[in-house]
Structures are given as structure tokens and as C-alpha cells.
Amino acid sequence: MLKGAEFLAKVGLTSQIIKTALAAAISWFLATSLLQDEYPFFAPLAAVLTVQVTVVDSLEKASHRLIGIILGVVLSMLIGHWFNISAYSIFFVILIGMALTNALRMNPQIVSQVGVSSLLVLAFGHSHGYATGRIIETMVGSVVAIAINALIVPRNAIPDVEQAIVQLSQKAATTLHYLSLMLKDEVKTAQHGKPIVDELVAQTEKSIQVLRLAEQSLKYNPFLVHKRTRLGRLSIGIRHMEHITVQIRGIRRGLADLRSAGSFKAEYPQIEGLASAIAATSVCIPVFGQILAEPSVSQMTELQNNMKQARKMQTACLADLKEVTSLTVLRDMGSILTDLSRILAEVER
């Protein structure tokens, strides 16, 4: 079955396209049956435009379309009562309708829909009862689209969030390890590692966006209610990863301040120990990400051992601070060690 779905996707037949075509066909059938209309074009049209990636998006699209149609119909019928169809009446009905909705700060989709609806009703509504039928057809198409989007192969975005967490944890670990190499002068970097940390910040924001899309995909979806607990836990995990990103940014700033003090190696000759403590802390992060995505006893044991080693190294660095006499170096070292300790506190939770 999975291979069949992959084949269909390769030839362009995604679940979204299939659901859209099915919604259009059912809308046409219902509209012709209920309304006794031989050509209910706007029922399938509404279905095509309403089927979105998530149920929330479909509801939003349907509401915008219905509001725009109703406003356009009312306005067109008022103006059409006094004017026949002409270039002047088309100009004024579209101008007034779109300007009014824009002044009321309505959604741009509503604004454009008012223009389309008012034009069509002005042209056909008064002689064929077009106005009322257009509203009903649109309601039929929208309801069918929302129902199909919710009931048939509802999109589960949980795997996307799990993958985002794993990738973010790996990026955070790589960034922190890079900072340890920078401290030992094993890599040369401009701006004291700021570009690579900025990449981590950007990926963190991307992961938060993936989480928000997943939350939307589960909203108003009766078949994925059981996934909300899992998504809630993943949300907490991404929040921890966001905190870790903040700590890594703080470590980079601390290292930049430390390196700007030319005598910091003389004040703190155990610089290799600090670099090792940073590297040992970085090893904990990807294991934490894997546990969030797919927990296992072996990974929990590995994380505990890694944390124990990292704490041991951090404690040794803290003990060495008693030999530092420069208040500036002491401040920067304390800041770095505090952020390292906070990273361990985040993964421990």
C-alpha cells in the first residue's frame, strides 16, 4: 500500500489532489440533486478552492469565501436595482465593494471575492435567480470540501515535528562542538562563530513553524484526537531545544568576550579542560533529540552516562576558577559554565 502511494505521488496524484477532485464531484452531484440546477458550477468551484492542507485552513478559506459572496451579492443587488449591466455599473459595483471591505480591514481573500461575486450577480442574478443559488452552491461545495478534508486520509504532521527535533538537536550539538574547537584555535572563524550560531537560531525558528503547522493539522480533526497528547510532549521538547539554543548563543558571546581579553590563557591555563567540557556537553544534545522523537531505554542510559561525564568536566572547570585573578576572565568563565550547566538541566528534564 505504501509503494502504491509513492507511485501515485510520483505521477502527481497526491492525496490532496485526489481529495480535491472527489470533493468537486460530490459537490456537483449534491447541488444538482438538491437544487435541481442543471449547471451548478459554483459548488465544485467552491470545493476546489476550499480543500487545503489542514481542516483549519479549509474552514478559514470557506468562511472567507462565503462572507465575500454574501457581501458581493447584497451590494450587487442594491446597485443592480438602479443600474443595468454596463461598463459604468461594473466599475462602480467592484470599486465600492472592494473599497468598503478593504476599509473594514477584511481579509484580502474576502476583498477579491466581493469583486468577483458582485460582478457575476450584476450580470446574471436578476434574470435567473442567480444570487441565491450562488450562495447555496458555495455553501454546499465548502461543506463537502471540509468534510472530505477531515474524514479522508487526514494529514498527520507528527513525523515532521519528530524529524525537526532530531535535526535541530544535531545542529545544536554541531554548533556547540564547533565552539569548543574555536576555543582551542583548531578552527578559524570570523565574528567569533556568530554565523554558525545564527544558522542554529534560524533552524530553531523553522522547527517552531513545523510545530505550529502540526498543531493546525490536528485542530478540528476528529480522527487525529489521540495524536494531540503526543504533539503536546513534542511541543515541550521543542521548547527545551529553544532554551538550549539561547544557552548556546550565550556561550558564543562569552567565548567572544573571553577571547577579546588577550591574557585569558595566562589567567586560565586549563583552557583545554573548558573546551573538553563544552564538547562533552554537546554530545548530550543529539541523544536528547532522539529520545524526544523515539524514546528507548538504551538511549536514556546513554544520555545519563553522557551527562555524568559532562557534569564532571564542568565541575573540574569550576574548581579551576579559584586560580583566576582577573575579574573580567572570571566573569566570562562563570557565564560560560552557567550556560553549560543550564543545557544539562534542559536535557535532564
Side-chain angles (χ1 to χ4, degrees):
M1 183 174 181
L2 183 60
K3 291 183 178 180
E6 292 176 351
F7 173 77
L8 290 176
K10 287 182 180 179
V11 297
L13 292 175
T14 63
S15 62
Q16 190 76 7
I17 292 176
I18 294 173
K19 287 194 290 185
T20 301
L22 183 61
I26 294 176
S27 299
W28 178 279
F29 172 77
L30 291 178
T32 53
S33 302
L34 297 175
L35 303 178
Q36 301 300 315
D37 189 347
E38 188 176 359
Y39 302 109
F41 296 108
F42 294 97
L45 177 61
V48 170
L49 296 176
T50 301
V51 174
Q52 302 293 311
V53 176
T54 67
V55 177
V56 173
D57 292 336
S58 292
L59 284 168
E60 182 180 359
K61 193 82 171 181
S63 63
H64 291 163
R65 186 167 177 79
L66 284 172
I67 293 171
I69 288 171
I70 292 172
L71 292 177
V73 165
V74 171
L75 180 65
S76 184
M77 291 184 71
L78 289 175
I79 294 180
H81 183 73
W82 302 100
F83 299 96
N84 293 323
I85 181 71
S86 67
Y88 296 107
S89 61
I90 290 174
F91 173 78
F92 283 113
V93 73
I94 294 178
L95 178 70
I96 295 173
M98 297 186 72
L100 179 61
T101 50
N102 190 48
L104 294 174
R105 301 294 187 270
M106 291 187 174
N107 188 279
Q109 294 182 17
I110 297 178
V111 176
S112 60
Q113 186 61 56
V114 167
V116 173
S117 300
S118 57
L119 169 63
L120 294 175
V121 173
L122 184 66
F124 306 111
H126 304 291
S127 57
H128 302 291
Y130 176 83
T132 304
R134 175 164 168 74
I135 295 175
I136 297 175
E137 289 174 13
T138 301
M139 291 179 64
V140 170
S142 298
V143 170
V144 170
I146 293 170
I148 285 181
N149 209 20
L151 300 178
I152 299 179
V153 195
R155 182 175 182 271
N156 176 20
I158 296 290
D160 295 340
V161 181
E162 293 173 342
Q163 183 181 17
I165 288 178
V166 171
Q167 292 175 347
L168 178 59
S169 66
Q170 292 171 346
K171 179 65 175 179
T174 301
T175 303
L176 192 56
H177 183 71
Y178 183 88
L179 295 179
S180 72
L181 297 178
M182 184 187 74
L183 182 60
K184 295 189 294 184
D185 293 324
E186 292 186 14
V187 294
K188 301 297 181 182
T189 175
Q191 302 177 347
H192 302 290
K194 186 176 184 300
I196 191 172
V197 174
D198 287 343
E199 291 177 6
L200 173 61
V201 173
Q203 187 159 341
T204 302
E205 292 296 327
K206 182 180 178 181
S207 299
I208 294 173
Q209 278 298 116
V210 172
L211 173 64
R212 289 173 180 167
L213 289 175
E215 290 172 341
Q216 285 187 347
S217 71
L218 296 186
K219 200 172 183 180
Y220 306 128
N221 201 318
F223 288 90
L224 295 177
V225 172
H226 61 289
K227 299 288 186 180
R228 291 175 187 169
T229 300
R230 172 63 177 154
L231 185 61
R233 292 173 181 170
L234 292 174
S235 175
I236 294 173
I238 284 188
R239 189 156 61 244
H240 288 313
M241 287 303 309
E242 186 179 11
H243 295 166
I244 290 173
T245 297
V246 172
Q247 311 310 329
I248 293 176
R249 291 179 68 183
I251 291 171
R252 189 209 70 81
R253 287 193 295 267
L255 290 176
D257 293 339
L258 194 63
R259 289 172 64 86
S260 64
S263 61
F264 81 96
K265 290 186 178 180
E267 286 285 343
Y268 190 82
Q270 298 87 355
I271 200 66
E272 289 286 340
L274 177 59
S276 297
I278 295 174
T281 304
S282 71
V283 173
C284 301
I285 303 175
V287 183
F288 174 64
Q290 288 289 344
I291 290 173
L292 290 173
E294 191 174 354
S296 70
V297 176
S298 61
Q299 288 175 339
M300 290 292 293
T301 302
E302 181 182 358
L303 178 60
Q304 290 173 356
N305 293 334
N306 291 345
M307 289 178 59
K308 184 178 180 180
Q309 182 66 18
R311 277 206 178 92
K312 181 180 178 180
M313 292 183 175
Q314 291 181 21
T315 302
C317 293
L318 190 61
D320 291 335
L321 290 182
K322 61 184 179 182
E323 301 176 7
V324 177
T325 58
S326 170
L327 293 179
T328 301
V329 174
L330 189 63
R331 177 202 64 194
D332 295 336
M333 286 291 301
S335 172
I336 293 169
L337 289 172
T338 298
D339 285 329
L340 287 175
S341 177
R342 286 172 177 167
I343 290 175
L344 293 183
E346 291 295 336
V347 301
E348 187 175 32
R349 295 177 186 177

